[in-house]
Amino acid sequence: MDTKFDFGGIDAEKTVYIRQVETRTLPQEIQQQLPGIETMYAVHDADGERLALVKERPLAFMLARQNELTPVSVH
């Protein structure tokens, strides 16, 4: 299936992906700054680069929107 799909003007460069991450999977230096926190929410760009890491899911969406980005949840 190589059919092109019109996403209705969604700018892929402005889309970010929000996903839950387990703190234990983060680099050790970050883990040390998060005692007692088991999960965080990461904001990633279309290339998979992590742009931000926040404690709560609603905060991740708010952060994206405040920066004129379109957040999408990733499971």
Side-chain angles (χ1 to χ4, degrees):
M1 286 188 125
D2 291 332
T3 306
K4 291 189 179 196
F5 181 79
D6 179 11
F7 285 96
I10 295 175
D11 186 356
E13 291 182 18
K14 294 240 175 210
T15 300
V16 291
Y17 301 90
I18 312 295
R19 73 177 185 96
Q20 185 176 9
V21 294
E22 293 183 26
T23 305
R24 63 182 172 84
T25 65
L26 298 172
Q28 190 64 33
E29 61 270 12
I30 295 175
Q31 290 181 43
Q32 292 173 348
Q33 298 175 39
L34 305 170
I37 298 174
E38 294 182 17
T39 60
M40 299 286 291
Y41 289 86
V43 180
H44 293 268
D45 66 11
D47 295 325
E49 180 179 349
R50 183 180 298 145
L51 304 174
L53 192 60
V54 297
K55 187 175 177 181
E56 299 172 356
R57 186 175 185 271
L59 181 58
F61 279 81
M62 183 175 63
L63 177 68
R65 290 183 183 115
Q66 285 181 342
N67 286 282
E68 299 178 6
L69 300 169
T70 304
V72 177
S73 183
V74 176
H75 299 283

